[in-house]
Amino acid sequence: MANSHLVGVRIETFDDAQKQFYEARNDGFAFIGIDLFPVLQLCPQSPHDVAEMLPLVRSDSIYPKKGMLYLILRCLGDSICGAIVGFTSKWIDCDSTDPRISSISQLCLQKELSWAVHLALPAVEVSIRHDNNVKLARVLTAFIKSEMAPFKIWISVPMYVGGDNASHTCGRDASSPWHWWCQLVGLAGPAACESLGLLLEMPADLPEEGIVSRWLSEPVTCLALSTQLFITNSKGFPILSRAHQHVLRKFLKINAQVLIKGSSQHERGLSIYRQYISWLWKCTVEAESLYEKYSIGFEDQLQEPLQPLQDNLSSATYGVFEMDPYKYRAYEEAICLALVHRCTSRKEGESRQSPLLELDYKGDCDVKQVIYILGAGQGPFVDASLQASRRSGCPVRVYIIEKNSNALLTLKHRMQTDWLGEDVHLVPGDMRCLSAPPPEKADIFVSELLGSFGDNELSPECLDDDGISIPASYTSYVAPLQSLRIHIDVSRCMDNPKFQERIHRHSETPYVIRLSNCQILAAPEEAFTFKHPRKDIGTTTNSRYCCLTFVPREDAIVHGFAGYFEAVLYDKIMLSIHPQRHSPNMFSWFPMVFPLVSAVPVKAGQKIVLHLWRCISPRYVWYEWATTEPTVSKIHNSGGSAYKIGL
Amino acid sequence: MANSHLVGVRIETFDDAQKQFYEARNDGFAFIGIDLFPVLQLCPQSPHDVAEMLPLVRSDSIYPKKGMLYLILRCLGDSICGAIVGFTSKWIDCDSTDPRISSISQLCLQKELSWAVHLALPAVEVSIRHDNNVKLARVLTAFIKSEMAPFKIWISVPMYVGGDNASHTCGRDASSPWHWWCQLVGLAGPAACESLGLLLEMPADLPEEGIVSRWLSEPVTCLALSTQLFITNSKGFPILSRAHQHVLRKFLKINAQVLIKGSSQHERGLSIYRQYISWLWKCTVEAESLYEKYSIGFEDQLQEPLQPLQDNLSSATYGVFEMDPYKYRAYEEAICLALVHRCTSRKEGESRQSPLLELDYKGDCDVKQVIYILGAGQGPFVDASLQASRRSGCPVRVYIIEKNSNALLTLKHRMQTDWLGEDVHLVPGDMRCLSAPPPEKADIFVSELLGSFGDNELSPECLDDDGISIPASYTSYVAPLQSLRIHIDVSRCMDNPKFQERIHRHSETPYVIRLSNCQILAAPEEAFTFKHPRKDIGTTTNSRYCCLTFVPREDAIVHGFAGYFEAVLYDKIMLSIHPQRHSPNMFSWFPMVFPLVSAVPVKAGQKIVLHLWRCISPRYVWYEWATTEPTVSKIHNSGGSAYKIGL
């Protein structure tokens, strides 16, 4: 969520407009919605009207009312023109079945858009009201392409069409407002869509959950709230019903602004509504989870997955990760439990070992347990190991294996300070090929090579040793994802000359993304599992393939697949970013996204079939993915051509 | 069609392979198909076989038979390695439901492909045998990407699966071999598809027409004919049935090579089959129409549409067009008929004019009819006008209006030679803005601003004068098109770094294409009509919009839309490139193609809905197009961003 929130107001009458305008400013509204062409607010009703209007429109002799023009220019003079959203005329219907209305609508819309460009407005509202918006899409797209999109176009659309005259399932029909919007988006294409946002109209009767939530994956720039939606509380103040609050807060979380429409039902005027929304926003911010707080500013940003094997991480990167309140505690628990298990099995003197510990047991409790820390970074696992040793009463000897020469400097320093007197040893080098390995074998290996997709930081390639491994196993999960924003961002490089050298890279690269403005279309399914130590080295490889089927409950557009992981560190100690059982407050991993180059529309109940490969060559590991249902996609990242992880 | 034809032969046994190889050469076969890895021809039948093979394959200790290796290298020495097609092992099934077979198949296929790269073979055969080829697609695509596609991969597939055990409609099922191929193509994507061709196996029982014809839009590199397909004629020679000949000739027209398989059923050996195919090919060439002969070498080539208004055409371009045997005769007929109508209406002394001639009639037959030639080029219409005048007995005065200064030189020369003594006058300049217009108004305007799509050379923008116009009207037609080759060519620039600066240009540009390796999926529908003289100047514009619906009879992939035109020159004199009523032998216009950036799969009976616009700005005219059924496409060439025609 952003750290400030904007509430605007719609001015619909023009009696004493200037006064209203200043009132709105004084009431603290951040922006104001006004009609661009008030003179044309009357819809042409008859062929006669059209015949009368057409020459006026063609000849450029039609202009907005003088007073309004003055008001707007005055505002420009006040240098707050950036706070005006221009509303195009309501009667405009480019796709009217009456060809005369359609024709004059297209002409007038172009004229109003040009006027808005001239006024340098930051945003213009255009409404869609029915299921066919092909001609509107053409006018808008051509305008965006030719004018280099100087402003955002707010497409105003009802959240759903239902209520008294239609059934509540209406929103699910192929003709729901969401489908209207999807047609417009499809016709505009990802490049032009960057200039489009939604002005979503909150209805009095709320639709079912599914109808609301699919809007959460769309770029809802603003939510329109009529003053009619508000109820009066016991103290006489206008408030929203619990249900409306609940929906509004969901949209506030994806940074939707709010526009108040209609006349005030309260003596203190419209400012009381603004104050209420601001208060709701503050409550929403305060109720944020630690995960949400730590990821502020990262929402829906495409990040390239880290490659700690190939690249050295910076100290800042280490620092951020080490702040995670859950992860290091979980590791400490796991090490502690592993130590206890080993000591217990010794103390009981049983020859039958615990099923969790199918290892040779070398000594007794006085013999120190040997722990290898594989990739120690700045040493948090050393702390965790020493702490676990103290808690369990099992003595340990710790070998730190680290290849990052910068991190080694920090570790050396800590050897002489924090760990002075402890049985801690530093082994510089790559864990896969140590020139001078530690003099004794490990009882426990501790590593943190887990990526957002589990195996994507090449843990399977690094951990082939025999011993207790922490993590003991990890499984990746995949789910189909709808997010126009991610689709636009992934497609961006395709249209931007600056990014052309990286073409087909960006669009076929897996990204790490803090998912917010999106919708998961079906429950995640298991993809790949790796276990350590491996019992079958030599007969199986680390290459994997899975074919997963998903069935979305609603019509949807698949823009890619979200990837998660779940790891068993040891015994019952888990790390998980699976959305249904996420480790509390753990922010070290955001989900992975495997984008699709082309958006794939899918109907409710239709199958989505994903093929996902983990591929291996002597020097690289990479993923490839493709769909075969509902349509056949190309194989993404074929041969690792766009993205591969260096060994 | 190409001007030579290639027939190859498949060698399947390895007894005395060298002898067979030399025999094939001596028999005149152009290429030879041999197994790449004869030693592995035995399919692993049991887990035991797999277990035995796996370490061999992994350890690189498996090689083709020594003798075969020698043979191949010997051939390389003979510098005809370019004539060998390597066949991968038949037992390979990457998508076997048995994971062991699948796994070893993928490994072996990669090994055989690498072997073929090492031998520098020009082509390798890989067969598909069932409806799921996802893993095969991955192996092939990754191979093509990583090896920079040094050879063509011939995907061998039966033309259809039917016969005794299945019904003849089987080819229509979602699991027909054509669907298998389409899945492979979709997964590979357009870039990798450039390396794929089809080795189509001709069946003994031919399927219905629709099943055959959809293969004609695919890149069929070679047709495999078993010697078993041949029947023996009265003279004892092997020939094909009429039905098989008919099908074979269709594929010869799209330049498919032929591969003879199986043992000879004739004493003269396999050469007799080669001779028969070569004879059939010669017959096919001889039966070519003038249109086909004149367009040799242009088949399926993307050509940018001419812009004669904006660019000056070269003398060579004029020269090619002037060779058209139909076009200029039709124009002469039209001028002649127009002159006769005018003279006839005078002679009959009727005040009621012919409905075709709603013009002021200025004089009598002694008064010369004034003809404007708008854009005369090198003057063929002047010849046509003078000839029409002689034939009709109506005297004419011809004004030549031409802006191309190079063409003017030719015209000046012809004024002093060919047209010396004729009433012909030269008016240099642009017909839309003449500084010194002719001293009298025209009775007849003759122009040739027709493009492949009728109005695409801006005839509507040029011809606004009052008078008889030749052409009097023209209508464009559109039909959905399937052609993998065109799709690949249009997509090519997207993947090729060289073309990246023109990205989204190529793929959203209409092209002029001599359509050959393609399939029209439904009958053409009318798009736009323009009439001259226009009766309603001022109230309507030259912008147009149409929404057309097509319903293909078979499952198909829409790669774009073919555009045609039909013009009424005068009265009943027509020019047409509409596929169902093409003017005989007229080769001046090839069809237009509006490509789609993404291929659109469509099911039999499903609707294809196309929206097409003719857009106008003060300086340009352009087309935009989009589909909304079966899926919503982006609006192509939005705002003329990829292609526009200069006024």
Side-chain angles (χ1 to χ4, degrees):
Chain A
M1 264 179 90
N3 25 5
S4 76
H5 188 258
L6 304 174
V7 182
V9 66
R10 175 86 168 96
I11 300 182
E12 278 175 292
T13 63
F14 294 90
D15 311 326
D16 210 357
Q18 200 169 348
K19 178 166 159 274
Q20 282 194 60
F21 182 77
Y22 283 111
E23 262 177 27
R25 283 186 62 196
N26 292 335
D27 284 349
F29 284 102
F31 61 95
I32 289 153
I34 49 170
D35 290 332
L36 275 169
F37 259 54
V39 77
L40 280 185
Q41 282 300 331
L42 290 173
C43 170
Q45 297 288 345
S46 65
H48 177 260
D49 291 354
V50 174
E52 214 164 89
M53 279 174 71
L54 199 55
L56 283 172
V57 174
R58 284 243 175 92
S59 68
D60 278 322
S61 62
I62 219 161
Y63 284 112
K65 253 189 204 166
K66 277 245 171 57
M68 204 55 203
L69 178 65
Y70 166 78
L71 169 64
I72 293 171
L73 291 177
R74 177 70 189 277
C75 300
L76 289 170
D78 281 2
S79 78
I80 52 154
C81 60
I84 292 179
V85 177
F87 278 61
T88 57
S89 297
K90 271 203 195 76
W91 65 266
I92 286 179
D93 183 2
C94 295
D95 292 273
S96 166
T97 49
D98 181 336
R100 293 161 311 203
I101 304 277
S102 162
S103 172
I104 200 166
S105 290
Q106 293 178 62
L107 272 168
C108 280
L109 180 59
Q110 281 167 327
K111 208 161 273 289
E112 299 198 11
L113 291 172
S114 296
W115 174 235
V117 171
H118 172 72
L119 296 177
L121 299 189
V124 170
E125 177 267 7
V126 174
S127 68
I128 56 178
R129 285 290 170 267
H130 48 62
D131 62 351
N132 179 27
N133 296 289
V134 177
K135 291 176 188 170
L136 172 67
R138 198 201 71 77
V139 172
L140 292 181
T141 310
F143 174 79
I144 291 166
K145 297 235 166 181
S146 59
E147 295 285 345
M148 295 305 178
F151 48 63
K152 197 100 176 172
I153 297 174
W154 290 11
I155 301 296
S156 129
V157 66
M159 189 178 286
Y160 94 123
V161 179
D164 297 341
N165 300 327
S167 81
H168 269 243
T169 56
C170 169
R172 268 195 187 156
D173 292 352
S175 65
S176 83
W178 180 79
H179 290 87
W180 312 345
W181 161 251
C182 285
Q183 190 206 45
L184 187 70
V185 161
L187 288 166
C193 275
E194 286 197 61
S195 300
L196 301 182
L198 274 162
L199 173 58
L200 198 59
E201 293 155 22
M202 177 93 94
D205 294 330
L206 286 170
E208 52 182 286
E209 185 76 12
I211 306 299
V212 175
S213 66
R214 70 175 160 198
W215 286 113
L216 292 169
S217 68
E218 305 295 340
V220 180
T221 309
C222 193
L223 213 60
L225 298 182
S226 162
T227 52
Q228 304 286 343
L229 289 180
F230 288 76
I231 51 178
T232 306
N233 71 1
S234 56
K235 292 173 185 163
F237 287 105
I239 61 163
L240 289 173
S241 72
R242 270 186 189 282
H244 280 89
Q245 281 182 42
H246 178 72
V247 170
L248 174 60
R249 288 168 74 150
K250 286 188 173 186
F251 284 96
L252 292 180
K253 274 184 182 273
I254 59 163
N255 295 320
Q257 302 168 37
V258 171
L259 179 77
I260 302 292
K261 291 166 61 167
S263 53
S264 173
Q265 312 286 315
H266 191 269
E267 55 187 10
R268 283 215 238 154
L270 287 166
S271 70
I272 197 86
Y273 297 91
R274 187 195 60 71
Q275 286 162 20
Y276 175 71
I277 301 296
S278 296
W279 174 79
L280 262 188
W281 178 78
K282 235 176 118 189
C283 297
T284 311
V285 170
E286 281 165 10
E288 274 183 340
S289 70
L290 208 60
Y291 179 80
E292 288 171 322
K293 281 195 172 68
Y294 270 107
S295 57
I296 284 174
F298 288 107
E299 296 95 337
D300 304 307
Q301 298 293 316
L302 311 190
Q303 299 177 264
E304 277 206 41
L306 291 175
Q307 294 212 8
L309 261 199
Q310 190 177 267
D311 309 323
N312 284 335
L313 301 187
S314 74
S315 138
T317 308
Y318 285 128
V320 168
F321 286 129
E322 286 174 17
M323 285 164 70
D324 194 303
Y326 183 87
K327 176 182 163 189
Y328 291 94
R329 233 184 45 222
Y331 264 94
E332 186 189 311
E333 287 300 316
I335 299 167
C336 194
L337 210 55
L339 289 171
V340 166
H341 275 195
R342 284 192 68 90
C343 293
T344 309
S345 66
R346 188 203 62 89
K347 276 176 188 155
E348 286 167 3
E350 288 177 18
S351 68
R352 197 186 60 79
Q353 290 161 356
S354 140
L356 278 159
L357 305 163
E358 298 172 308
L359 297 163
D360 286 343
Y361 183 57
K362 292 196 210 78
D364 84 7
C365 201
D366 308 328
V367 174
K368 290 188 173 179
Q369 298 296 317
V370 175
I371 300 180
Y372 281 15
I373 311 283
L374 305 174
Q378 305 195 118
F381 284 175
V382 180
D383 297 324
S385 300
L386 297 174
Q387 184 63 22
S389 167
R390 281 189 284 274
R391 283 174 56 198
S392 63
C394 299
V396 296
R397 177 168 301 131
V398 177
Y399 291 96
I400 306 175
I401 295 152
E402 176 59 60
K403 69 166 179 55
N404 180 346
S405 52
N406 303 310
L408 279 169
L409 292 179
T410 308
L411 292 169
K412 273 178 193 156
H413 176 73
R414 297 196 66 189
M415 290 285 287
Q416 288 152 13
T417 54
D418 302 346
W419 306 324
L420 199 64
E422 303 279 3
D423 196 356
V424 175
H425 308 268
L426 202 53
V427 184
D430 189 314
M431 67 184 89
R432 292 165 294 174
C433 48
L434 288 174
S435 52
E440 52 195 330
K441 288 191 83 178
D443 299 299
I444 300 172
F445 295 91
V446 183
S447 65
E448 54 172 338
L449 284 162
L450 292 171
S452 295
F453 199 57
D455 59 78
N456 64 297
E457 293 186 6
L458 306 194
S459 198
E461 280 66 32
C462 296
L463 305 180
D464 276 352
D465 273 310
D466 205 28
I468 294 179
S469 171
I470 294 174
S473 72
Y474 32 92
T475 300
S476 50
Y477 295 83
V478 179
L481 176 86
Q482 174 176 300
S483 168
L484 183 58
R485 173 153 176 203
I486 291 172
H487 181 60
I488 289 172
D489 284 353
V490 165
S491 308
R492 183 173 288 148
C493 59
M494 304 275 286
D495 279 311
N496 188 334
K498 282 188 203 153
F499 285 97
Q500 274 173 22
E501 64 190 49
R502 301 189 74 184
I503 190 163
H504 276 218
R505 270 194 66 131
H506 280 231
S507 47
E508 299 187 29
T509 298
Y511 287 100
V512 167
I513 305 180
R514 156 75 171 95
L515 294 173
S516 169
N517 193 359
C518 78
Q519 197 190 359
I520 300 301
L521 302 171
E525 295 282 339
E526 236 179 274
F528 310 138
T529 295
F530 290 90
K531 292 184 183 180
H532 300 286
R534 300 201 311 193
K535 296 184 189 104
D536 47 9
I537 293 174
T539 59
T540 63
T541 71
N542 289 332
S543 67
R544 291 286 189 279
Y545 163 76
C546 66
C547 173
L548 304 175
T549 300
F550 307 92
V551 182
R553 270 171 322 228
E554 313 273 352
D555 290 2
I557 313 280
V558 187
H559 293 116
F561 294 85
Y564 308 97
F565 83 96
E566 195 159 76
V568 176
L569 288 183
Y570 181 80
D571 202 356
K572 302 282 174 226
I573 311 295
M574 308 279 289
L575 295 182
S576 178
I577 64 163
H578 188 296
Q580 287 155 4
R581 37 186 192 258
H582 199 290
S583 300
N585 290 326
M586 185 173 71
F587 61 79
S588 288
W589 292 275
F590 297 148
M592 192 90 138
V593 170
F594 299 94
L596 289 173
V597 170
S598 301
V600 175
V602 60
K603 296 269 170 208
Q606 222 178 3
K607 274 195 229 170
I608 302 166
V609 176
L610 168 72
H611 303 261
L612 182 65
W613 288 266
R614 185 181 201 266
C615 306
I616 295 179
S617 80
R619 292 184 51 211
Y620 296 101
V621 174
W622 68 95
Y623 302 99
E624 300 187 17
W625 60 99
T627 62
T628 48
E629 297 280 342
T631 46
V632 175
S633 80
K634 64 182 286 189
I635 296 169
H636 289 62
N637 192 31
S638 170
S641 54
Y643 171 83
K644 42 193 173 185
I645 313 156
L647 274 166
Chain B
M1 267 177 88
N3 24 2
S4 75
H5 188 259
L6 304 175
V7 182
V9 67
R10 175 88 168 93
I11 300 183
E12 278 175 290
T13 63
F14 294 91
D15 311 325
D16 208 358
Q18 198 168 349
K19 179 167 158 271
Q20 282 192 61
F21 182 75
Y22 283 111
E23 261 176 27
R25 282 185 66 196
N26 291 336
D27 284 349
F29 284 103
F31 62 93
I32 288 154
I34 49 170
D35 290 334
L36 274 170
F37 258 53
V39 78
L40 280 184
Q41 282 301 331
L42 289 175
C43 170
Q45 296 288 346
S46 65
H48 177 261
D49 291 352
V50 174
E52 211 163 275
M53 279 174 70
L54 201 55
L56 283 173
V57 175
R58 284 240 176 93
S59 67
D60 279 322
S61 63
I62 220 160
Y63 284 112
K65 253 188 204 165
K66 277 245 171 59
M68 205 55 202
L69 177 66
Y70 166 78
L71 170 63
I72 293 171
L73 292 176
R74 177 69 190 275
C75 300
L76 291 170
D78 281 2
S79 79
I80 53 156
C81 59
I84 291 179
V85 177
F87 279 61
T88 58
S89 298
K90 270 203 197 75
W91 64 266
I92 286 180
D93 183 3
C94 295
D95 293 273
S96 166
T97 49
D98 181 336
R100 294 163 309 203
I101 304 277
S102 162
S103 172
I104 200 167
S105 290
Q106 293 178 60
L107 272 169
C108 279
L109 179 59
Q110 281 167 327
K111 207 160 274 287
E112 298 199 12
L113 292 172
S114 298
W115 175 234
V117 172
H118 172 71
L119 296 177
L121 300 190
V124 171
E125 178 267 7
V126 174
S127 67
I128 57 178
R129 286 290 170 266
H130 47 62
D131 62 352
N132 180 27
N133 296 288
V134 177
K135 292 176 188 170
L136 172 67
R138 199 201 70 77
V139 172
L140 291 182
T141 310
F143 174 80
I144 291 167
K145 296 234 169 184
S146 60
E147 294 285 345
M148 296 303 178
F151 48 65
K152 197 99 176 175
I153 297 174
W154 290 10
I155 301 296
S156 125
V157 66
M159 188 178 285
Y160 94 123
V161 179
D164 297 342
N165 301 329
S167 80
H168 269 244
T169 57
C170 171
R172 268 195 186 152
D173 292 352
S175 65
S176 84
W178 179 79
H179 291 87
W180 311 346
W181 161 249
C182 285
Q183 190 206 45
L184 186 71
V185 161
L187 289 165
C193 274
E194 286 197 61
S195 300
L196 301 182
L198 274 162
L199 173 59
L200 198 59
E201 293 155 23
M202 176 93 93
D205 293 332
L206 287 170
E208 52 183 286
E209 185 76 14
I211 306 300
V212 174
S213 66
R214 69 175 161 200
W215 286 113
L216 292 169
S217 68
E218 305 296 341
V220 180
T221 309
C222 193
L223 214 59
L225 298 183
S226 160
T227 52
Q228 303 287 341
L229 290 179
F230 288 75
I231 51 178
T232 307
N233 71 0
S234 55
K235 291 174 188 163
F237 287 105
I239 61 164
L240 291 171
S241 72
R242 271 185 189 281
H244 280 89
Q245 281 183 42
H246 178 72
V247 169
L248 174 60
R249 289 169 73 151
K250 286 187 173 185
F251 285 96
L252 292 181
K253 273 184 182 275
I254 60 165
N255 295 320
Q257 301 168 36
V258 171
L259 179 76
I260 303 291
K261 292 167 58 167
S263 54
S264 174
Q265 312 286 313
H266 191 271
E267 56 188 8
R268 282 214 241 156
L270 287 165
S271 71
I272 198 86
Y273 296 91
R274 186 196 60 71
Q275 286 162 20
Y276 175 72
I277 301 297
S278 297
W279 174 78
L280 262 188
W281 178 77
K282 235 176 120 188
C283 296
T284 311
V285 170
E286 281 166 8
E288 274 183 339
S289 68
L290 208 60
Y291 179 79
E292 288 172 321
K293 281 197 170 68
Y294 269 108
S295 57
I296 283 173
F298 288 106
E299 296 96 336
D300 303 307
Q301 299 293 317
L302 311 189
Q303 299 177 265
E304 278 206 40
L306 292 174
Q307 294 211 10
L309 261 197
Q310 191 176 266
D311 309 322
N312 283 334
L313 302 187
S314 75
S315 138
T317 308
Y318 286 127
V320 169
F321 286 130
E322 286 175 17
M323 284 163 70
D324 195 303
Y326 184 87
K327 177 182 164 191
Y328 292 93
R329 233 181 47 218
Y331 264 92
E332 185 188 311
E333 287 299 316
I335 299 167
C336 194
L337 208 56
L339 289 173
V340 166
H341 276 195
R342 285 190 68 88
C343 292
T344 309
S345 66
R346 186 204 62 90
K347 277 178 187 154
E348 286 168 0
E350 286 176 21
S351 66
R352 197 186 61 74
Q353 291 161 355
S354 138
L356 279 159
L357 305 163
E358 296 173 308
L359 298 162
D360 289 343
Y361 183 56
K362 292 196 210 80
D364 84 8
C365 198
D366 308 330
V367 175
K368 290 187 171 178
Q369 299 296 316
V370 176
I371 299 178
Y372 280 16
I373 311 283
L374 305 174
Q378 305 195 118
F381 285 175
V382 181
D383 296 324
S385 300
L386 296 174
Q387 184 64 22
S389 168
R390 280 189 285 273
R391 283 174 56 198
S392 64
C394 300
V396 295
R397 176 170 301 130
V398 176
Y399 290 96
I400 305 174
I401 295 152
E402 176 59 61
K403 69 167 179 52
N404 180 344
S405 53
N406 303 311
L408 280 169
L409 292 178
T410 307
L411 292 169
K412 272 179 193 156
H413 174 74
R414 296 196 68 189
M415 291 285 286
Q416 287 154 14
T417 53
D418 302 345
W419 307 323
L420 197 66
E422 303 280 4
D423 197 356
V424 176
H425 307 267
L426 203 54
V427 184
D430 190 315
M431 67 184 90
R432 291 164 296 174
C433 50
L434 287 175
S435 52
E440 53 194 329
K441 288 191 80 176
D443 300 298
I444 300 171
F445 297 89
V446 182
S447 64
E448 53 171 342
L449 284 162
L450 292 171
S452 294
F453 200 57
D455 58 78
N456 65 296
E457 294 186 6
L458 307 193
S459 199
E461 281 64 32
C462 296
L463 306 180
D464 274 352
D465 275 308
D466 206 25
I468 294 177
S469 171
I470 294 174
S473 72
Y474 33 91
T475 301
S476 49
Y477 294 83
V478 180
L481 176 86
Q482 173 175 299
S483 168
L484 182 58
R485 172 152 177 203
I486 292 172
H487 182 60
I488 289 172
D489 284 353
V490 165
S491 308
R492 184 173 289 149
C493 59
M494 306 273 286
D495 279 310
N496 187 334
K498 284 190 202 153
F499 285 96
Q500 274 172 23
E501 61 190 51
R502 303 189 76 183
I503 191 163
H504 275 218
R505 272 193 63 133
H506 280 232
S507 47
E508 298 187 28
T509 299
Y511 287 100
V512 168
I513 306 179
R514 156 74 172 97
L515 295 173
S516 169
N517 193 0
C518 79
Q519 197 189 0
I520 300 301
L521 301 171
E525 296 281 338
E526 236 179 275
F528 310 138
T529 294
F530 290 89
K531 289 184 186 183
H532 301 287
R534 301 201 312 195
K535 295 183 189 103
D536 47 8
I537 294 174
T539 58
T540 63
T541 71
N542 289 332
S543 67
R544 292 285 190 281
Y545 163 74
C546 67
C547 173
L548 304 176
T549 302
F550 306 92
V551 182
R553 271 171 321 226
E554 312 273 354
D555 290 4
I557 313 280
V558 188
H559 294 116
F561 294 85
Y564 308 97
F565 83 96
E566 193 157 77
V568 176
L569 289 182
Y570 182 79
D571 201 359
K572 303 282 176 226
I573 312 295
M574 310 279 289
L575 295 181
S576 177
I577 64 163
H578 187 296
Q580 287 154 4
R581 38 186 192 258
H582 199 289
S583 300
N585 289 327
M586 185 171 73
F587 61 78
S588 289
W589 292 275
F590 297 148
M592 194 90 138
V593 169
F594 299 94
L596 290 172
V597 171
S598 302
V600 176
V602 59
K603 296 269 171 208
Q606 223 179 3
K607 273 195 229 170
I608 303 166
V609 175
L610 168 72
H611 303 262
L612 183 64
W613 288 269
R614 185 181 201 266
C615 306
I616 295 179
S617 79
R619 290 185 52 213
Y620 295 101
V621 174
W622 68 93
Y623 302 99
E624 300 186 17
W625 61 100
T627 61
T628 48
E629 298 280 344
T631 46
V632 175
S633 80
K634 65 181 287 192
I635 297 170
H636 290 62
N637 192 31
S638 170
S641 55
Y643 172 82
K644 43 194 172 184
I645 313 157
L647 275 166

